[in-house]
Amino acid sequence: MNNLIDNRIVKPRRRINNRIVKPQSIMLKAARTALICAAIIAFSFYSSPVSNFFDYILWEVMAFYEESAGSYAPNLFESVIINANEQNDSLITPNADYIRLASIDDVAERSIIGIDDIIFQDYDEFRPLINERSNQNFTIQNLAIERYFNDVDFFISRFYNIDTNTGIIREYFNPVRFLNTDLSLQKDSFAPQVLIFHTHGGTEFFVDSDTTDIRQGVVGAGERLKYVLENKYGIGVIHITEVFDVINGVSQRGGSYERMEPVVERVLRENPTIEIVLDLHRDGIDPNPNLVTYIDGKPHARMMFVNGVSALNQNGEVRALNNLRNDNLADNLAFSFNMQLAANEMFPGLMRRKLLKPFRYSTHMAGRSLLVEIGSQHSTMEEAFNSMEIFADILYAVVFKQN
């Protein structure tokens, strides 16, 4: 009820914490709070379209469905430490983007990477392919190119294994365009042209590796590839041996791609002659798929190329993942296709069928970029290192040998 004071109607006031508060001030505070919240939300999605929020929620649900809450949830909110020119920066809050200084010398340059990228990139990477279809050693000589060109679905089914969550944008899969893509480079013995790195170099070893020595894992395989390219072919190579998946001595694969990316981008900026970028991994498959083939009497670990297509299959509908965009996807697909054909011709039985995954991983930074899986955790170091010697032969034949 209103009170009558000096012939004026006075509305009642609320008392909160012994202070009299007018109803209008409460509404003003609520309005200001709503505006602040809206501004924060708008800023949070500034670097990623709002539609990607639904992708984020989808993959959060899938992650908690397929991973135990005890192992997955803590990784989501741990600080992500990156190393750029020996400068450490960390994730400021568990649900916001973080801003990383690109280098000490250029503090004005900043790179924004979203927490959604961390979840997308590392979620359930490279599932075991127990029922994997075998590679059918197609070569340029035996390609049924007309049928493949006219029937994209048939072409994809013959050349690729596909993760069930992968969205296929069909216009990217054109075998004629793949074959007509000019991948050749003139060799320059005085400048680096190849970059090798390992997103998961600290956790991917072989069955007989000493896991305290990264040179006995995929990092050692990268060293062998570097040695052959430089000493057999005279090709300049930079090998990044920095570890991105171990923090303070503890395995932390979540966020590895985000920690890797600024380091690789810096090396590419500083070495513009590099046009081939290779991310070497070791696959994890159970039970033992026996990924070994014998070439000239020597055991070699079979390899697999992985293409991330930045597209998600949601109940049969293809959705492009714009926050994980890859402007080099067409060239990536052409490069892996031609590398696969050359390997099949030069070393039959070496390659597994190529794998398509929904995300972009590490291949978006260059057109001639490959993500390579070398054997599995059941392979030996000898098998893996032998494969690097002939992988160098394949790379030279596709890119540097002028035919």
Side-chain angles (χ1 to χ4, degrees):
M1 178 181 296
N2 294 334
N3 298 321
L4 185 62
I5 300 177
D6 297 333
N7 295 320
R8 290 182 294 114
I9 295 177
V10 181
K11 294 184 178 180
R13 300 179 178 184
R14 293 184 59 192
R15 184 177 295 273
I16 300 178
N17 294 333
N18 292 321
R19 290 185 300 111
I20 295 176
V21 182
K22 294 181 180 180
Q24 294 94 329
S25 65
I26 295 175
M27 288 186 288
L28 286 174
K29 286 185 178 180
R32 283 198 301 268
T33 301
L35 286 173
I36 292 171
C37 290
I40 292 172
I41 292 172
F43 179 78
S44 298
F45 288 99
Y46 175 75
S47 62
S48 299
V50 175
S51 62
N52 292 320
F53 176 73
F54 297 104
D55 295 333
Y56 175 88
I57 294 298
L58 171 68
W59 284 94
E60 279 291 83
V61 171
M62 291 184 66
F64 278 95
Y65 176 75
E66 300 214 11
E67 302 281 348
S68 66
S71 62
Y72 186 85
N75 292 337
L76 202 61
F77 301 104
E78 285 184 324
S79 293
V80 177
I81 308 299
I82 66 172
N83 186 316
N85 286 351
E86 299 181 353
Q87 177 177 351
N88 287 334
D89 301 293
S90 62
L91 190 66
I92 299 169
T93 59
N95 59 352
D97 289 347
Y98 70 93
I99 299 177
R100 180 194 61 79
L101 298 181
S103 68
I104 295 175
D105 298 327
D106 186 11
V107 295
E109 183 174 356
R110 293 170 181 264
S111 173
I112 297 178
I113 304 173
I115 188 73
D116 53 352
D117 292 349
I118 294 172
I119 295 166
F120 279 142
Q121 297 275 76
D122 288 284
Y123 164 69
D124 198 24
E125 186 196 6
F126 308 134
R127 295 182 181 181
L129 293 174
I130 296 172
N131 297 318
E132 178 184 1
R133 294 173 296 175
S134 62
N135 176 46
Q136 301 180 25
N137 288 292
F138 294 107
T139 66
I140 293 177
Q141 285 70 29
N142 63 18
L143 279 179
I145 197 66
E146 287 189 13
R147 178 170 184 185
Y148 295 145
F149 180 75
N150 293 318
D151 190 341
V152 175
D153 291 331
F154 178 72
F155 167 66
I156 294 172
S157 70
R158 301 285 278 183
F159 276 85
Y160 299 92
N161 281 316
I162 306 173
D163 181 277
T164 55
N165 300 307
T166 302
I168 301 299
I169 301 176
R170 284 170 171 76
E171 52 263 36
Y172 279 113
F173 294 87
N174 184 326
V176 174
R177 187 171 68 235
F178 290 169
L179 291 173
N180 290 331
T181 299
D182 184 9
L183 299 168
S184 63
L185 291 174
Q186 291 291 333
K187 186 173 69 173
D188 183 352
S189 300
F190 300 99
Q193 293 180 284
V194 177
L195 175 64
I196 301 170
F197 66 97
H198 314 272
T199 302
H200 294 149
T203 58
E204 293 184 340
F205 293 89
F206 303 103
V207 66
D208 54 348
S209 299
D210 177 356
T211 57
T212 65
D213 183 358
I214 63 170
R215 294 170 299 180
Q216 296 194 25
V218 289
V219 175
E223 276 297 295
R224 178 65 62 88
L225 177 59
K226 178 178 186 290
Y227 178 86
V228 177
L229 288 172
E230 289 181 336
N231 291 275
K232 183 176 181 178
Y233 293 112
I235 298 168
V237 180
I238 291 179
H239 184 201
I240 298 175
T241 59
E242 183 174 342
V243 169
F244 305 107
D245 55 342
V246 176
I247 299 175
N248 297 326
V250 178
S251 173
Q252 178 63 285
R253 286 170 69 97
S256 300
Y257 284 95
E258 284 63 42
R259 293 189 287 275
M260 165 277 297
E261 186 171 327
V263 176
V264 172
E265 285 184 334
R266 173 173 55 81
V267 173
L268 292 176
R269 285 196 306 270
E270 294 172 353
N271 300 274
T273 56
I274 293 176
E275 296 194 57
I276 300 172
V277 180
L278 307 173
D279 187 3
L280 302 186
H281 290 247
R282 185 270 294 142
D283 206 356
I285 306 179
D286 278 318
N288 186 351
N290 191 27
L291 297 179
V292 60
T293 186
Y294 285 84
I295 300 172
D296 295 332
K298 296 169 60 178
H300 292 71
R302 297 183 65 207
M303 298 187 296
M304 178 175 69
F305 299 142
V306 180
N307 283 115
V309 297
S310 297
L312 186 67
N313 180 358
Q314 267 182 279
N315 299 320
E317 179 182 351
V318 176
R319 168 182 282 177
L321 295 175
N322 294 320
N323 61 324
L324 293 174
R325 180 171 175 162
N326 182 358
D327 293 328
N328 288 309
L329 179 57
D331 287 341
N332 294 163
L333 290 167
F335 189 33
S336 65
F337 180 79
N338 284 280
M339 287 287 290
Q340 185 93 4
L341 289 183
N344 289 347
E345 183 171 356
M346 297 169 66
F347 305 105
L350 175 67
M351 300 303 301
R352 299 160 61 193
R353 190 181 290 223
K354 294 192 298 299
L355 176 62
L356 298 179
K357 296 282 286 183
F359 312 120
R360 72 183 184 190
Y361 304 113
S362 58
T363 56
H364 60 289
M365 292 176 281
R368 297 177 188 84
S369 184
L370 281 175
L371 196 160
V372 186
E373 296 281 351
I374 309 165
S376 74
Q377 77 272 32
H378 305 289
S379 302
T380 67
M381 287 189 292
E382 179 189 10
E383 294 163 0
F385 293 1
N386 285 345
S387 292
M388 293 299 92
E389 296 181 1
I390 61 176
F391 180 72
D393 298 337
I394 299 165
L395 185 65
Y396 179 79
V398 171
V399 179
F400 293 100
K401 187 176 182 181
Q402 306 300 315
N403 290 323

